């Protein structure tokens, strides 16, 4: 679904289906203008989805708030192995929250955070996790 301009409304509908879907393993939502509200709904679905292994949310301008919500649900998610969040302007605060979630998440082994303005503090916290 990458580069299809699904927007926030599309992301919300996809998030609803992810809550009950048990067969989808890979979801590419790169460059879809889902913004913070769409990211929040996708994040919530990570709390219940047990089949998704790879999620690409790159270049969706989810911002710090979107990253904070993703981090919240990463703590309990047990299926996600790869998460792409590049080009989302999550900033240091978003990176710090994601770093905190990595301390408890035991299944995520690939995380892309390029071009997010995480700064020194964000990088330090990611490195510590």
């Amino acid at each position: 679904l990458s580069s299809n301009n699904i927007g926030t409304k599309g992301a919300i509908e996809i998030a609803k289906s992810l809550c009950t879907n048990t067969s989808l393993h890979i979801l590419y939502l790169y460059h879809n203008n889902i913004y913070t509200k769409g990211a929040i709904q996708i994040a919530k679905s990570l709390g219940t989805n047990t089949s998704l292994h790879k999620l690409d949310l790159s270049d969706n301008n989810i911002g710090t708030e979107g990253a904070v919500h993703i981090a919240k649900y990463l703590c309990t998610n047990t299926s996600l192995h790869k998460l792409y969040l590049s080009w989302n302007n999550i900033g240091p605060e978003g990176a710090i929250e994601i770093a905190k979630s990595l301390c408890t998440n035991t299944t995520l082994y690939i995380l892309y955070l390029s071009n997010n303005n995480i700064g020194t503090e964000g990088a330090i916290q990611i490195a510590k996790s």
Side-chain angles (χ1 to χ4, degrees), residues 53 74 107:
H53 298 299
L74 271 181
T107 58

Side-chain angles (χ1 to χ4, degrees), residues 7-107:
T8 300
K9 285 179 74 174
I12 290 169
E13 293 304 313
I14 289 169
K16 287 178 188 176
S17 69
L18 285 175
C19 291
T20 56
N21 183 286
T22 58
S23 60
L24 187 67
H25 297 289
I26 299 170
L27 179 59
Y28 292 102
L29 292 176
Y30 172 85
H31 189 69
N32 267 302
N33 299 311
I34 68 170
Y35 303 106
T36 301
K37 287 183 180 181
I40 289 170
Q41 295 307 310
I42 296 286
K44 287 180 181 178
S45 73
L46 294 177
T48 57
N49 182 284
T50 58
S51 64
L52 200 61
H53 298 299
K54 182 177 182 179
L55 176 61
D56 187 347
L57 294 175
S58 298
D59 193 23
N60 276 296
N61 201 21
I62 67 171
T64 300
E65 187 179 356
V68 167
H69 279 81
I70 289 168
K72 176 182 174 182
Y73 290 97
L74 271 181
C75 292
T76 58
N77 181 280
T78 58
S79 64
L80 201 61
H81 300 302
K82 299 176 184 178
L83 179 60
Y84 299 77
L85 295 174
S86 299
W87 294 96
N88 273 305
N89 200 28
I90 67 170
E93 185 182 334
I96 290 167
E97 292 304 311
I98 288 173
K100 289 178 188 176
S101 73
L102 295 176
C103 293
T104 56
N105 180 294
T106 59
T107 58

